């Protein structure tokens, strides 16, 4: 019984497209956190208190629903300096960042 051809087939068949991409694993989450505080931080401030872009405090982020916030991150805000990130991150990544901004964000509010 030769398992190798079977194995090769399994490798060649693309995985069934998933409607919901799985949530990012721990390694990816760490990368996304770096992206948020470094790359987003280059405009929004490393502590998200604002710079070229506005501050991103939790209270403000919760004015968006998580879908709208993920979409904003993926597509950017046309006509402004806010770029879309769809080339670098996928939907589940964007959703993770959106949830992080709403719940885990060290900046609760701006006075
Ligand atoms: C090149 C600068 C720049 C970078 C990098 C950047 N942004 Fe922005 N962002 C902006 C600007 C400018 C605005 C305000 C646009 C406007 O005038 O509405 C904005 C707006 C936003 C808003 C809406 C804020 C609000 O109060 O409604 C969110 C959320 C946001 N950015 C998230 C992110 C995230 C997450 C990243 C990284 C993945 C990121 N941004 C990277 C410049 C940037």
């Amino acid at each position: 019984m030769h398992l190798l051809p079977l194995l090769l087939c399994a490798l060649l068949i693309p995985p069934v497209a998933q409607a919901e991409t799985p949530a990012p694993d721990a390694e990816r989450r760490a990368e996304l956190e770096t992206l948020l505080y470094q790359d987003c931080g280059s405009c929004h401030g490393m502590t998200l208190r604002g710079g070229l872009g506005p501050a991103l405090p939790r209270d403000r982020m919760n004015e968006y629903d998580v879908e709208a916030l993920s979409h904003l991150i993926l597509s950017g805000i046309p006509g402004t300096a806010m770029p879309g990130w769809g080339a670098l991150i996928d939907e589940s990544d964007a959703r993770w960042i959106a949830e992080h901004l709403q719940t885990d964000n060290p900046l609760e509010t701006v006075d």
Side-chain angles (χ1 to χ4, degrees), residues 29-30 32-33 36-37 46-48 56-59 61-62 66 69 95-109:
R29 290 199 301 271
L32 292 174
E33 208 162 322
L36 177 60
Y37 293 105
M46 304 252 310
T47 54
L48 307 180
L56 305 175
R58 252 185 282 157
D59 56 0
M61 294 300 96
N62 280 291
V66 70
L69 193 53
R95 194 181 171 93
W96 185 85
I97 292 177
E99 282 169 356
H100 184 89
L101 283 169
Q102 291 181 326
T103 59
D104 244 354
N105 174 350
L107 185 63
E108 191 178 341
T109 189

Side-chain angles (χ1 to χ4, degrees), residues 35-36 39-40 42-44 52-56 60-61 64 69 72-73 77 80-83 85 97 101:
L35 177 90
L36 177 60
D39 296 59
C40 314
S42 68
C43 284
H44 292 282
L52 171 63
L56 305 175
R60 169 70 188 158
M61 294 300 96
Y64 290 96
L69 193 53
L72 186 160
I73 294 166
I77 304 177
T80 77
M82 172 62 191
W85 294 82
I97 292 177
L101 283 169

